[in-house]
Amino acid sequence: MLSILRTNQPFFFIVSAWLILILNGLIYFNNGDVKEVEFELLKLIGAPKILVYFVLFIVVFYTGFLINSVVNKSVLFEKSYYLSGLLYVVFVTSFGDIISYLLPLIGNLFLLLSLKNLLLIFRANSCKKQVFNASIFILFGALFYSLNLFILPLVWIVLFIIRPFVWREYLMPIIVLLISFAYVIPFGILNENILEMMSLWWSSSQISYHEISPSVGLLIMGFISVTFLLSFKSIVNTFIYSNNRYKRVIWVVVAMMVFTILLSVLDFLLFNRSSGGLVPFLIPLVIFLSNGFIRNRIQWVCDLVFILFFVSTIVIQIL
């Protein structure tokens, strides 16, 4: 139905992603019903609102483009596709005004860079460098969105999935934590404001947030559920008959999905927010769903559901 969604040329993704982002900005830039969180973010950054939008558009677009790059360089598909990044941009903008999710969206970029390094781990090769880089990027992501710190154990899970036990590799995340403490603690002590710094850092997970409207929430859940059900059989069949490398990559994506779901649960338990921690979950979600979109035998149904979801969220946001 929409074969252009499965094109192996980046032009469609580049144009459509920027159009979707600009449309989101046009809908919300002059919106009089501005959330308190947005005022806090703008005061914190101290930059004009239009500049913040532009920078955030670049961050979201680059994250989507990087998702495509990570997926295309893995063994998930036989050729390059750009559907994963497009789904990411659509999901992000469906949440509402993206400026309300400024910090976790920046954090997502670093989580993706971490995933990129984790997927460079191979069973037969030493991977201390990749593990170290993946751990560093998770900490950078936690710098912007503090709850991302709880994703750090994902590194050990991926090592368990892909590699035989090598204790030096398992030490890398701990070494990264020790190095970060060696910088942060002396800096805080010298400035006598370490507790204030930690409080400000922890509050980063509370600043970037607003509640998704119930109608949009239902649309998101409906789209994910229908697409998952339509794609599940084809993904399972591909998994069963695929090589070991493909299976390990899928397990890494599933592991990240589990950790980001637990992050959402943690956000709900700590801050009583039903959708506060969903932004990190989008990375493994779009990789998984795009896999279903590509391999599904009844692709026109997935395309129709995608169109209905996208148009419905735009209409709700305009109204």
Side-chain angles (χ1 to χ4, degrees):
M1 184 176 180
L2 282 179
S3 58
I4 196 169
L5 288 175
R6 298 167 185 83
T7 179
N8 60 354
Q9 300 298 323
F11 178 76
F12 173 73
F13 165 75
I14 294 171
V15 173
S16 56
W18 274 107
L19 287 176
I20 293 169
L21 290 168
I22 292 171
L23 179 60
N24 182 269
L26 291 174
I27 292 173
Y28 288 103
F29 185 79
N30 292 318
N31 189 354
D33 183 25
V34 182
K35 308 292 183 182
E36 180 182 354
V37 64
E38 296 176 21
F39 286 119
E40 294 297 326
L41 283 174
L42 292 176
K43 287 191 294 183
L44 180 65
I45 297 169
K49 189 175 182 180
I50 190 170
L51 179 60
V52 177
Y53 267 106
F54 181 69
V55 172
L56 192 52
F57 286 169
I58 293 175
V59 169
V60 174
F61 172 79
Y62 181 68
T63 304
F65 198 87
L66 193 59
I67 290 175
N68 292 325
S69 176
V70 170
V71 171
N72 291 336
K73 289 180 180 179
S74 69
V75 296
L76 291 178
F77 303 129
E78 291 78 14
K79 61 179 182 178
S80 297
Y81 293 101
Y82 294 87
L83 182 59
S84 303
L86 182 61
L87 285 174
Y88 179 79
V89 174
V90 169
F91 272 119
V92 166
T93 54
S94 70
F95 281 8
D97 190 354
I98 65 172
I99 204 172
S100 297
Y101 298 94
L102 172 66
L103 297 180
L105 286 174
I106 297 174
N108 265 17
L109 176 58
F110 291 104
L111 290 184
L112 185 59
L113 290 169
S114 175
L115 178 63
K116 179 181 179 180
N117 278 274
L118 291 176
L119 292 180
L120 292 175
I121 296 174
F122 289 86
R123 182 171 181 82
N125 303 328
S126 177
C127 60
K128 292 193 290 292
K129 178 181 177 182
Q130 288 80 10
V131 174
F132 184 88
N133 291 341
S135 303
I136 281 284
F137 283 126
I138 289 177
L139 284 190
F140 278 136
L143 184 65
F144 291 93
Y145 186 63
S146 55
L147 291 182
N148 283 343
L149 183 63
F150 294 97
I151 298 181
L152 189 61
L154 174 66
V155 177
W156 289 308
I157 300 298
V158 172
L159 283 174
F160 177 78
I161 293 172
I162 298 179
R163 294 269 298 155
F165 180 78
V166 179
W167 65 269
R168 291 182 180 87
E169 295 170 354
Y170 280 76
L171 276 181
M172 287 297 107
I174 298 175
I175 292 174
V176 168
L177 283 175
L178 292 176
I179 292 174
S180 63
F181 289 153
Y183 278 97
V184 173
I185 294 178
F187 178 80
I189 293 174
L190 291 174
N191 289 273
E192 299 180 351
N193 61 350
I194 187 168
L195 293 179
E196 183 180 346
M197 288 172 53
M198 295 299 293
S199 177
L200 180 63
W201 168 73
W202 179 251
S203 66
S204 66
S205 58
Q206 298 173 271
I207 292 175
S208 284
Y209 170 78
H210 73 247
E211 192 73 37
I212 299 174
S213 66
S215 53
V216 172
L218 288 174
L219 283 173
I220 293 173
M221 290 303 299
F223 175 65
I224 294 173
S225 301
V226 172
T227 306
F228 180 81
L229 289 174
L230 291 172
S231 308
F232 183 76
K233 183 178 179 180
S234 58
I235 293 175
V236 170
N237 288 337
T238 305
F239 181 84
I240 292 173
Y241 297 107
S242 63
N243 57 39
N244 288 333
R245 180 61 186 171
Y246 178 91
K247 292 177 180 178
R248 292 190 182 105
V249 170
I250 286 293
W251 278 120
V252 170
V253 175
V254 170
M256 189 175 190
M257 186 176 292
V258 171
F259 269 86
T260 51
I261 290 174
L262 292 176
L263 200 71
S264 299
V265 174
L266 183 64
D267 187 277
F268 177 76
L269 294 175
L270 291 176
F271 309 122
N272 196 28
R273 304 184 310 196
S274 58
S275 53
L278 286 178
V279 176
F281 173 64
L282 294 180
I283 294 176
L285 176 66
V286 298
I287 295 175
F288 193 84
L289 290 183
S290 63
N291 201 25
F293 262 83
I294 300 300
R295 301 185 184 281
N296 201 321
R297 294 183 179 179
I298 46 176
Q299 294 179 346
W300 68 270
V301 179
C302 289
D303 296 347
L304 180 61
V305 173
F306 173 77
I307 294 170
L308 291 174
F309 168 71
F310 176 68
V311 172
S312 299
T313 53
I314 295 297
V315 170
I316 290 172
Q317 290 173 357
I318 293 175
L319 296 179

